[in-house]
Amino acid sequence: MSIDLISMILLWFGLYYIVSLSLNMEFGYAGIPNFGKALSVLVGAIAVGGILDRLLMLYFGIGGDFITGTTYATSAINNLIASNPIVGIGILILAIILASILGFVVGAIFILPSAKLKEDYLGITLLAISEAVLLICTYNLNIIGGYYGISTPDILAFVSGEYRGWVFAWIVLFIAFLVYLFFERLLNTPFGRVLRAMRENENTVKAFGRDIMKLRIKTMAIGSAIGAIAGVLYSLYTVNIIANAFTRVDWTFFPFLMVLLGGKGNNKGVALGVLCYVIVKVLLDIYKYNIKYALGIPFEPVWLSYMLFGVLMLLILYYKPSGLIPEKPIITPPMKKKIMEISGK
Amino acid sequence: QETTTTQSGSKENVIKVGLLVDLSGGLATYGNNEKHICEIAEEKINKYFEEKGMPYKVKLYVEDTRADPNICLQKVQALHAQGITFFLGPMASGEVKNIKGFINSNKIVIISPSSTAPPQMLGFRTPEEKKYVFRFVPTDNFQGNAIGDVAKQLGLKNVIVIYRKDAWGDGLERATVEKLKANGINIIDEIPYDPNIGDWSPIIQTTTNKIAGKGNDTGVIFIGYEEVATLLSQIDDNSPLLKHVWIGCDGTANSKKVLEEAKNKAVKVKLYSTMFQSETDEAEKIKEEFKKRGYGEPDQYALNVYDAFWVGAISYAEMLNKTGGKYDADLLSKLIKENTVKYSEGQFGVKSVTGYIKLNEWNDRASGNYGIFAVTEDGWKLVGVWDSTTGKINWK
């Protein structure tokens, strides 16, 4: 096994941890079955391919059609980045800001049509909206280049190709760590506790005077903003994006699998779930032909991972729905004090 | 690079070569052919290195991209993470376009045997930007002309064009339409379809409506991949669509899927399909070996990738020799350019199977004739050759 494999595992761990953390807030804490999670990642791609690229075209004074123009624009900015690393970092930060804002707004709007829906109906509605937007982005060439795809800046144009994977992996991991810190703090506030309450019993929360819809909007806005960051990082890593890279399988269903595997409702459990999934997926991908020949599998082995992960999902739901690391009650300082008193007696 | 020790105790450097082919999608016939012929090439190249006393061995890593740009990118990333820096493939232009940025940024070199969209359609502005991307096949500027001339010489006055809505399909459709108009052929309609299409009935209905009442001088031009088999199989046996001549392209030529799923209907419409055509006597030997192993008949793109493997392996070995074992993408790119000429001229003691490979400034094949294949009761047959220099067709 090549050591570069580790940089790939780290990269995908970071990307998927960001997405899964935001899904964990939406689904694990708030109980919102966001089957449209892929949309927030796609929004990140739109921020890079649709907005940032257009800004670059404006900056360099490049006209003409969108797809051709952005090819020139990204080439020009890459030349600039190659000799000015600070520009590359600046582009990354700008892209993240753009995506977070766009994700926040889209997330808030995205949940509105679901005002009166719950559970399955809510989940399917969000999935349908996500799919509709993906199809629009695929066949409308003016958003992110549709089925042609579009170039994105190489923010590491100053790094040798030999080390690019490693540098990018560490950038992604660093940002994933920041996202983890953000969610740890956010979800251990009264806001986090009320989300859990909403998940357990909406009527009780209503009885205490809370506005369920407002809570949903906040949750989806924040979750979508964070998901969009993953979309940005993926788009800048691949330096070319195409709409069908943001399918529900890769960015909705697998994140659900990771959250459920690791343990919904706690961020450390999610980390374990993501790590397990990424390692298995990467190894399965690399050794699938060895597996095929060893076991005499009669079909093309590319389908193997879908089958195995599908079975794994069913097994989790049936045998261990709490995941590898079950969530624990939130112990607030007053509760801690009371527990100390009781145990002291 | 990995270093392995053979029984003799000498050290051999392993040259890892990634092969990006479609084994389960719309180009699976060609993908499997390319995989099989590369397995043959791997054996021959290793034997060559051994006989020449060169301390290298090639190892092939196959990946199934399903002719899907997104999956192709994932596979390149996965193989790159295993230390692979030289790739054969990918097959489709949409795939090349999607991995272009990644391979330029990570300094990967590829030789595609069948990506045919013009360089500008792939997002390359200058030849310098495309120095890591080689294509041992002419672009669709040539094929568009070939298809247009086939239509003309079949006596067609009107055509309906059905085309695959992706980077490659758009490009070939555009080139073809341009030539059709230049040949004075009226284009009744241009109908795009989603590459993921399953139900063809809306398109069948539209095409049937447009072709109603037209005579034998009207035909259908299909620009797409093997999904044409599904299209044909969904057409009613008594449909007027089957009373007109159809023209395909390199994505349909010699398709096993067409024979398996819709042979009877394909025989009716002939499905004249153009495919880059350039073979040497050496190709006959490879074909015999291919058949002997039970793989059937290799297509032109399989032969292209065979030559690409040889040129790439020899160049990679030479690069390692020059740099003392370190990878240098710019040197490899330069050597491939040079060795393509030497290999074509037989300077390495092995013969090309696709004739002289002349590359243009974009590192694409600079010219090419096109074979015209049609479906008969006995399967696909070569029925003519379009000459790129004269535009004439020699029918057989």
Side-chain angles (χ1 to χ4, degrees), chain B residues 203-234:
Chain B
I203 287 179
I204 293 173
Q205 189 61 55
T206 301
T207 311
T208 303
N209 291 344
K210 303 272 180 170
I211 212 163
K214 296 292 195 295
N216 288 338
D217 59 357
T218 298
V220 175
I221 294 182
F222 182 89
I223 293 172
Y225 297 159
E226 297 187 89
E227 60 266 8
V228 68
T230 312
L231 166 57
L232 286 169
S233 68
Q234 288 180 21

PDB file of all heavy atoms in Angstrom, chain B residues 203-234:
ATOM      1  N   ILE B 203     -38.583  10.426 -27.302  1.00  0.00           N
ATOM      2  CA  ILE B 203     -37.715  10.702 -28.447  1.00  0.00           C
ATOM      3  C   ILE B 203     -38.153   9.898 -29.658  1.00  0.00           C
ATOM      4  O   ILE B 203     -38.129  10.390 -30.789  1.00  0.00           O
ATOM      5  CB  ILE B 203     -36.243  10.416 -28.074  1.00  0.00           C
ATOM      6  CG1 ILE B 203     -35.747  11.521 -27.136  1.00  0.00           C
ATOM      7  CG2 ILE B 203     -35.363  10.330 -29.311  1.00  0.00           C
ATOM      8  CD1 ILE B 203     -34.331  11.369 -26.673  1.00  0.00           C
ATOM      9  N   ILE B 204     -38.576   8.653 -29.416  1.00  0.00           N
ATOM     10  CA  ILE B 204     -39.082   7.833 -30.518  1.00  0.00           C
ATOM     11  C   ILE B 204     -40.302   8.499 -31.134  1.00  0.00           C
ATOM     12  O   ILE B 204     -40.450   8.576 -32.360  1.00  0.00           O
ATOM     13  CB  ILE B 204     -39.431   6.414 -30.017  1.00  0.00           C
ATOM     14  CG1 ILE B 204     -38.156   5.674 -29.599  1.00  0.00           C
ATOM     15  CG2 ILE B 204     -40.176   5.619 -31.086  1.00  0.00           C
ATOM     16  CD1 ILE B 204     -38.389   4.340 -28.925  1.00  0.00           C
ATOM     17  N   GLN B 205     -41.170   9.023 -30.277  1.00  0.00           N
ATOM     18  CA  GLN B 205     -42.388   9.682 -30.758  1.00  0.00           C
ATOM     19  C   GLN B 205     -42.060  10.922 -31.581  1.00  0.00           C
ATOM     20  O   GLN B 205     -42.600  11.134 -32.668  1.00  0.00           O
ATOM     21  CB  GLN B 205     -43.267  10.066 -29.562  1.00  0.00           C
ATOM     22  CG  GLN B 205     -44.651  10.554 -29.963  1.00  0.00           C
ATOM     23  CD  GLN B 205     -45.435   9.494 -30.718  1.00  0.00           C
ATOM     24  OE1 GLN B 205     -45.609   8.372 -30.242  1.00  0.00           O
ATOM     25  NE2 GLN B 205     -45.906   9.825 -31.911  1.00  0.00           N
ATOM     26  N   THR B 206     -41.160  11.747 -31.040  1.00  0.00           N
ATOM     27  CA  THR B 206     -40.782  12.976 -31.749  1.00  0.00           C
ATOM     28  C   THR B 206     -40.167  12.661 -33.099  1.00  0.00           C
ATOM     29  O   THR B 206     -40.509  13.269 -34.119  1.00  0.00           O
ATOM     30  CB  THR B 206     -39.768  13.779 -30.912  1.00  0.00           C
ATOM     31  OG1 THR B 206     -40.358  14.106 -29.658  1.00  0.00           O
ATOM     32  CG2 THR B 206     -39.362  15.056 -31.630  1.00  0.00           C
ATOM     33  N   THR B 207     -39.258  11.695 -33.099  1.00  0.00           N
ATOM     34  CA  THR B 207     -38.570  11.340 -34.342  1.00  0.00           C
ATOM     35  C   THR B 207     -39.546  10.755 -35.355  1.00  0.00           C
ATOM     36  O   THR B 207     -39.480  11.061 -36.546  1.00  0.00           O
ATOM     37  CB  THR B 207     -37.443  10.327 -34.062  1.00  0.00           C
ATOM     38  OG1 THR B 207     -36.648  10.807 -32.979  1.00  0.00           O
ATOM     39  CG2 THR B 207     -36.561  10.144 -35.281  1.00  0.00           C
ATOM     40  N   THR B 208     -40.475   9.928 -34.863  1.00  0.00           N
ATOM     41  CA  THR B 208     -41.475   9.337 -35.755  1.00  0.00           C
ATOM     42  C   THR B 208     -42.332  10.424 -36.400  1.00  0.00           C
ATOM     43  O   THR B 208     -42.598  10.398 -37.603  1.00  0.00           O
ATOM     44  CB  THR B 208     -42.385   8.360 -34.984  1.00  0.00           C
ATOM     45  OG1 THR B 208     -41.573   7.362 -34.364  1.00  0.00           O
ATOM     46  CG2 THR B 208     -43.376   7.689 -35.922  1.00  0.00           C
ATOM     47  N   ASN B 209     -42.740  11.389 -35.588  1.00  0.00           N
ATOM     48  CA  ASN B 209     -43.546  12.493 -36.120  1.00  0.00           C
ATOM     49  C   ASN B 209     -42.799  13.267 -37.201  1.00  0.00           C
ATOM     50  O   ASN B 209     -43.357  13.639 -38.227  1.00  0.00           O
ATOM     51  CB  ASN B 209     -43.940  13.453 -34.988  1.00  0.00           C
ATOM     52  CG  ASN B 209     -44.935  12.827 -34.032  1.00  0.00           C
ATOM     53  OD1 ASN B 209     -45.551  11.808 -34.351  1.00  0.00           O
ATOM     54  ND2 ASN B 209     -45.097  13.420 -32.870  1.00  0.00           N
ATOM     55  N   LYS B 210     -41.516  13.506 -36.951  1.00  0.00           N
ATOM     56  CA  LYS B 210     -40.731  14.322 -37.879  1.00  0.00           C
ATOM     57  C   LYS B 210     -40.424  13.597 -39.182  1.00  0.00           C
ATOM     58  O   LYS B 210     -40.224  14.218 -40.225  1.00  0.00           O
ATOM     59  CB  LYS B 210     -39.408  14.733 -37.226  1.00  0.00           C
ATOM     60  CG  LYS B 210     -39.554  15.484 -35.920  1.00  0.00           C
ATOM     61  CD  LYS B 210     -39.682  16.969 -36.131  1.00  0.00           C
ATOM     62  CE  LYS B 210     -39.835  17.689 -34.795  1.00  0.00           C
ATOM     63  NZ  LYS B 210     -39.722  19.145 -34.908  1.00  0.00           N
ATOM     64  N   ILE B 211     -40.365  12.269 -39.109  1.00  0.00           N
ATOM     65  CA  ILE B 211     -39.937  11.510 -40.277  1.00  0.00           C
ATOM     66  C   ILE B 211     -41.131  11.029 -41.102  1.00  0.00           C
ATOM     67  O   ILE B 211     -40.969  10.512 -42.214  1.00  0.00           O
ATOM     68  CB  ILE B 211     -39.049  10.315 -39.845  1.00  0.00           C
ATOM     69  CG1 ILE B 211     -38.000  10.000 -40.922  1.00  0.00           C
ATOM     70  CG2 ILE B 211     -39.889   9.080 -39.547  1.00  0.00           C
ATOM     71  CD1 ILE B 211     -36.872   9.147 -40.428  1.00  0.00           C
ATOM     72  N   ALA B 212     -42.334  11.243 -40.556  1.00  0.00           N
ATOM     73  CA  ALA B 212     -43.546  10.767 -41.232  1.00  0.00           C
ATOM     74  C   ALA B 212     -43.652  11.360 -42.642  1.00  0.00           C
ATOM     75  O   ALA B 212     -43.435  12.555 -42.846  1.00  0.00           O
ATOM     76  CB  ALA B 212     -44.778  11.145 -40.422  1.00  0.00           C
ATOM     77  N   GLY B 213     -43.957  10.504 -43.599  1.00  0.00           N
ATOM     78  CA  GLY B 213     -44.157  10.969 -44.964  1.00  0.00           C
ATOM     79  C   GLY B 213     -42.886  11.202 -45.748  1.00  0.00           C
ATOM     80  O   GLY B 213     -42.927  11.566 -46.923  1.00  0.00           O
ATOM     81  N   LYS B 214     -41.739  11.003 -45.121  1.00  0.00           N
ATOM     82  CA  LYS B 214     -40.480  11.239 -45.827  1.00  0.00           C
ATOM     83  C   LYS B 214     -40.050   9.996 -46.599  1.00  0.00           C
ATOM     84  O   LYS B 214     -40.384   8.869 -46.236  1.00  0.00           O
ATOM     85  CB  LYS B 214     -39.374  11.623 -44.827  1.00  0.00           C
ATOM     86  CG  LYS B 214     -39.628  12.932 -44.101  1.00  0.00           C
ATOM     87  CD  LYS B 214     -39.545  14.116 -45.056  1.00  0.00           C
ATOM     88  CE  LYS B 214     -39.426  15.439 -44.326  1.00  0.00           C
ATOM     89  NZ  LYS B 214     -40.619  15.779 -43.528  1.00  0.00           N
ATOM     90  N   GLY B 215     -39.288  10.214 -47.650  1.00  0.00           N
ATOM     91  CA  GLY B 215     -38.852   9.102 -48.495  1.00  0.00           C
ATOM     92  C   GLY B 215     -37.513   8.529 -48.077  1.00  0.00           C
ATOM     93  O   GLY B 215     -37.011   8.799 -46.995  1.00  0.00           O
ATOM     94  N   ASN B 216     -36.947   7.733 -48.995  1.00  0.00           N
ATOM     95  CA  ASN B 216     -35.684   7.059 -48.710  1.00  0.00           C
ATOM     96  C   ASN B 216     -34.498   8.006 -48.613  1.00  0.00           C
ATOM     97  O   ASN B 216     -33.426   7.611 -48.181  1.00  0.00           O
ATOM     98  CB  ASN B 216     -35.391   6.026 -49.803  1.00  0.00           C
ATOM     99  CG  ASN B 216     -36.307   4.827 -49.686  1.00  0.00           C
ATOM    100  OD1 ASN B 216     -36.853   4.571 -48.612  1.00  0.00           O
ATOM    101  ND2 ASN B 216     -36.487   4.114 -50.778  1.00  0.00           N
ATOM    102  N   ASP B 217     -34.685   9.242 -49.043  1.00  0.00           N
ATOM    103  CA  ASP B 217     -33.581  10.198 -48.973  1.00  0.00           C
ATOM    104  C   ASP B 217     -33.521  10.893 -47.616  1.00  0.00           C
ATOM    105  O   ASP B 217     -32.829  11.891 -47.450  1.00  0.00           O
ATOM    106  CB  ASP B 217     -33.698  11.235 -50.090  1.00  0.00           C
ATOM    107  CG  ASP B 217     -35.000  12.018 -50.020  1.00  0.00           C
ATOM    108  OD1 ASP B 217     -35.828  11.709 -49.129  1.00  0.00           O
ATOM    109  OD2 ASP B 217     -35.186  12.928 -50.842  1.00  0.00           O
ATOM    110  N   THR B 218     -34.271  10.356 -46.658  1.00  0.00           N
ATOM    111  CA  THR B 218     -34.221  10.879 -45.286  1.00  0.00           C
ATOM    112  C   THR B 218     -33.625   9.826 -44.365  1.00  0.00           C
ATOM    113  O   THR B 218     -33.949   8.643 -44.483  1.00  0.00           O
ATOM    114  CB  THR B 218     -35.636  11.245 -44.794  1.00  0.00           C
ATOM    115  OG1 THR B 218     -36.165  12.266 -45.629  1.00  0.00           O
ATOM    116  CG2 THR B 218     -35.593  11.735 -43.353  1.00  0.00           C
ATOM    117  N   GLY B 219     -32.748  10.270 -43.465  1.00  0.00           N
ATOM    118  CA  GLY B 219     -32.109   9.316 -42.554  1.00  0.00           C
ATOM    119  C   GLY B 219     -32.032   9.856 -41.133  1.00  0.00           C
ATOM    120  O   GLY B 219     -32.383  11.006 -40.868  1.00  0.00           O
ATOM    121  N   VAL B 220     -31.598   8.987 -40.224  1.00  0.00           N
ATOM    122  CA  VAL B 220     -31.395   9.364 -38.826  1.00  0.00           C
ATOM    123  C   VAL B 220     -29.906   9.280 -38.516  1.00  0.00           C
ATOM    124  O   VAL B 220     -29.252   8.294 -38.855  1.00  0.00           O
ATOM    125  CB  VAL B 220     -32.170   8.424 -37.879  1.00  0.00           C
ATOM    126  CG1 VAL B 220     -31.852   8.750 -36.423  1.00  0.00           C
ATOM    127  CG2 VAL B 220     -33.666   8.517 -38.143  1.00  0.00           C
ATOM    128  N   ILE B 221     -29.382  10.318 -37.890  1.00  0.00           N
ATOM    129  CA  ILE B 221     -27.986  10.286 -37.451  1.00  0.00           C
ATOM    130  C   ILE B 221     -27.970  10.205 -35.934  1.00  0.00           C
ATOM    131  O   ILE B 221     -28.556  11.056 -35.260  1.00  0.00           O
ATOM    132  CB  ILE B 221     -27.219  11.533 -37.932  1.00  0.00           C
ATOM    133  CG1 ILE B 221     -27.117  11.508 -39.466  1.00  0.00           C
ATOM    134  CG2 ILE B 221     -25.825  11.588 -37.302  1.00  0.00           C
ATOM    135  CD1 ILE B 221     -26.343  12.661 -40.050  1.00  0.00           C
ATOM    136  N   PHE B 222     -27.334   9.168 -35.411  1.00  0.00           N
ATOM    137  CA  PHE B 222     -27.264   8.969 -33.964  1.00  0.00           C
ATOM    138  C   PHE B 222     -25.844   9.218 -33.470  1.00  0.00           C
ATOM    139  O   PHE B 222     -24.915   8.516 -33.858  1.00  0.00           O
ATOM    140  CB  PHE B 222     -27.696   7.544 -33.591  1.00  0.00           C
ATOM    141  CG  PHE B 222     -27.691   7.301 -32.106  1.00  0.00           C
ATOM    142  CD1 PHE B 222     -28.819   7.575 -31.343  1.00  0.00           C
ATOM    143  CD2 PHE B 222     -26.551   6.825 -31.465  1.00  0.00           C
ATOM    144  CE1 PHE B 222     -28.813   7.368 -29.967  1.00  0.00           C
ATOM    145  CE2 PHE B 222     -26.534   6.621 -30.090  1.00  0.00           C
ATOM    146  CZ  PHE B 222     -27.673   6.893 -29.345  1.00  0.00           C
ATOM    147  N   ILE B 223     -25.699  10.219 -32.620  1.00  0.00           N
ATOM    148  CA  ILE B 223     -24.390  10.530 -32.046  1.00  0.00           C
ATOM    149  C   ILE B 223     -24.451  10.225 -30.566  1.00  0.00           C
ATOM    150  O   ILE B 223     -24.992  10.989 -29.769  1.00  0.00           O
ATOM    151  CB  ILE B 223     -24.027  12.007 -32.306  1.00  0.00           C
ATOM    152  CG1 ILE B 223     -23.819  12.221 -33.805  1.00  0.00           C
ATOM    153  CG2 ILE B 223     -22.775  12.395 -31.527  1.00  0.00           C
ATOM    154  CD1 ILE B 223     -23.640  13.655 -34.213  1.00  0.00           C
ATOM    155  N   GLY B 224     -23.922   9.069 -30.204  1.00  0.00           N
ATOM    156  CA  GLY B 224     -23.983   8.643 -28.813  1.00  0.00           C
ATOM    157  C   GLY B 224     -23.215   7.347 -28.637  1.00  0.00           C
ATOM    158  O   GLY B 224     -22.422   6.972 -29.495  1.00  0.00           O
ATOM    159  N   TYR B 225     -23.449   6.691 -27.518  1.00  0.00           N
ATOM    160  CA  TYR B 225     -22.734   5.459 -27.208  1.00  0.00           C
ATOM    161  C   TYR B 225     -23.652   4.252 -27.426  1.00  0.00           C
ATOM    162  O   TYR B 225     -24.602   4.302 -28.192  1.00  0.00           O
ATOM    163  CB  TYR B 225     -22.245   5.486 -25.760  1.00  0.00           C
ATOM    164  CG  TYR B 225     -21.248   6.566 -25.438  1.00  0.00           C
ATOM    165  CD1 TYR B 225     -21.061   6.986 -24.120  1.00  0.00           C
ATOM    166  CD2 TYR B 225     -20.482   7.178 -26.424  1.00  0.00           C
ATOM    167  CE1 TYR B 225     -20.148   7.965 -23.795  1.00  0.00           C
ATOM    168  CE2 TYR B 225     -19.570   8.164 -26.111  1.00  0.00           C
ATOM    169  CZ  TYR B 225     -19.404   8.552 -24.790  1.00  0.00           C
ATOM    170  OH  TYR B 225     -18.497   9.526 -24.461  1.00  0.00           O
ATOM    171  N   GLU B 226     -23.351   3.171 -26.704  1.00  0.00           N
ATOM    172  CA  GLU B 226     -24.071   1.923 -26.932  1.00  0.00           C
ATOM    173  C   GLU B 226     -25.524   1.953 -26.465  1.00  0.00           C
ATOM    174  O   GLU B 226     -26.252   0.984 -26.662  1.00  0.00           O
ATOM    175  CB  GLU B 226     -23.328   0.780 -26.241  1.00  0.00           C
ATOM    176  CG  GLU B 226     -21.945   0.548 -26.801  1.00  0.00           C
ATOM    177  CD  GLU B 226     -21.281  -0.682 -26.227  1.00  0.00           C
ATOM    178  OE1 GLU B 226     -21.473  -1.767 -26.797  1.00  0.00           O
ATOM    179  OE2 GLU B 226     -20.564  -0.566 -25.216  1.00  0.00           O
ATOM    180  N   GLU B 227     -25.954   3.059 -25.860  1.00  0.00           N
ATOM    181  CA  GLU B 227     -27.362   3.137 -25.485  1.00  0.00           C
ATOM    182  C   GLU B 227     -28.276   3.119 -26.703  1.00  0.00           C
ATOM    183  O   GLU B 227     -29.492   2.988 -26.579  1.00  0.00           O
ATOM    184  CB  GLU B 227     -27.628   4.372 -24.616  1.00  0.00           C
ATOM    185  CG  GLU B 227     -27.302   5.708 -25.268  1.00  0.00           C
ATOM    186  CD  GLU B 227     -25.903   6.207 -24.932  1.00  0.00           C
ATOM    187  OE1 GLU B 227     -25.123   5.445 -24.304  1.00  0.00           O
ATOM    188  OE2 GLU B 227     -25.581   7.348 -25.303  1.00  0.00           O
ATOM    189  N   VAL B 228     -27.673   3.248 -27.889  1.00  0.00           N
ATOM    190  CA  VAL B 228     -28.462   3.139 -29.118  1.00  0.00           C
ATOM    191  C   VAL B 228     -29.134   1.769 -29.194  1.00  0.00           C
ATOM    192  O   VAL B 228     -30.197   1.615 -29.801  1.00  0.00           O
ATOM    193  CB  VAL B 228     -27.574   3.370 -30.361  1.00  0.00           C
ATOM    194  CG1 VAL B 228     -26.576   2.228 -30.555  1.00  0.00           C
ATOM    195  CG2 VAL B 228     -28.432   3.534 -31.612  1.00  0.00           C
ATOM    196  N   ALA B 229     -28.527   0.776 -28.553  1.00  0.00           N
ATOM    197  CA  ALA B 229     -29.118  -0.566 -28.540  1.00  0.00           C
ATOM    198  C   ALA B 229     -30.460  -0.549 -27.816  1.00  0.00           C
ATOM    199  O   ALA B 229     -31.432  -1.169 -28.250  1.00  0.00           O
ATOM    200  CB  ALA B 229     -28.161  -1.552 -27.867  1.00  0.00           C
ATOM    201  N   THR B 230     -30.497   0.179 -26.699  1.00  0.00           N
ATOM    202  CA  THR B 230     -31.749   0.287 -25.944  1.00  0.00           C
ATOM    203  C   THR B 230     -32.787   1.057 -26.749  1.00  0.00           C
ATOM    204  O   THR B 230     -33.971   0.703 -26.768  1.00  0.00           O
ATOM    205  CB  THR B 230     -31.494   1.006 -24.610  1.00  0.00           C
ATOM    206  OG1 THR B 230     -30.348   0.428 -23.986  1.00  0.00           O
ATOM    207  CG2 THR B 230     -32.685   0.860 -23.680  1.00  0.00           C
ATOM    208  N   LEU B 231     -32.329   2.107 -27.413  1.00  0.00           N
ATOM    209  CA  LEU B 231     -33.230   2.898 -28.254  1.00  0.00           C
ATOM    210  C   LEU B 231     -33.869   2.021 -29.326  1.00  0.00           C
ATOM    211  O   LEU B 231     -35.090   1.982 -29.483  1.00  0.00           O
ATOM    212  CB  LEU B 231     -32.457   4.056 -28.903  1.00  0.00           C
ATOM    213  CG  LEU B 231     -33.128   4.805 -30.061  1.00  0.00           C
ATOM    214  CD1 LEU B 231     -34.472   5.375 -29.648  1.00  0.00           C
ATOM    215  CD2 LEU B 231     -32.222   5.910 -30.579  1.00  0.00           C
ATOM    216  N   LEU B 232     -33.037   1.290 -30.048  1.00  0.00           N
ATOM    217  CA  LEU B 232     -33.552   0.434 -31.117  1.00  0.00           C
ATOM    218  C   LEU B 232     -34.502  -0.630 -30.575  1.00  0.00           C
ATOM    219  O   LEU B 232     -35.549  -0.914 -31.164  1.00  0.00           O
ATOM    220  CB  LEU B 232     -32.394  -0.229 -31.871  1.00  0.00           C
ATOM    221  CG  LEU B 232     -31.598   0.685 -32.810  1.00  0.00           C
ATOM    222  CD1 LEU B 232     -30.331  -0.014 -33.293  1.00  0.00           C
ATOM    223  CD2 LEU B 232     -32.449   1.109 -34.004  1.00  0.00           C
ATOM    224  N   SER B 233     -34.145  -1.194 -29.421  1.00  0.00           N
ATOM    225  CA  SER B 233     -34.979  -2.273 -28.881  1.00  0.00           C
ATOM    226  C   SER B 233     -36.351  -1.756 -28.451  1.00  0.00           C
ATOM    227  O   SER B 233     -37.301  -2.523 -28.369  1.00  0.00           O
ATOM    228  CB  SER B 233     -34.273  -2.943 -27.702  1.00  0.00           C
ATOM    229  OG  SER B 233     -34.191  -2.065 -26.602  1.00  0.00           O
ATOM    230  N   GLN B 234     -36.449  -0.459 -28.175  1.00  0.00           N
ATOM    231  CA  GLN B 234     -37.731   0.108 -27.742  1.00  0.00           C
ATOM    232  C   GLN B 234     -38.590   0.594 -28.915  1.00  0.00           C
ATOM    233  O   GLN B 234     -39.715   1.042 -28.713  1.00  0.00           O
ATOM    234  CB  GLN B 234     -37.489   1.261 -26.753  1.00  0.00           C
ATOM    235  CG  GLN B 234     -36.997   0.789 -25.387  1.00  0.00           C
ATOM    236  CD  GLN B 234     -36.765   1.928 -24.415  1.00  0.00           C
ATOM    237  OE1 GLN B 234     -37.303   3.019 -24.580  1.00  0.00           O
ATOM    238  NE2 GLN B 234     -35.957   1.677 -23.396  1.00  0.00           N
TER     239      GLN B 234
END
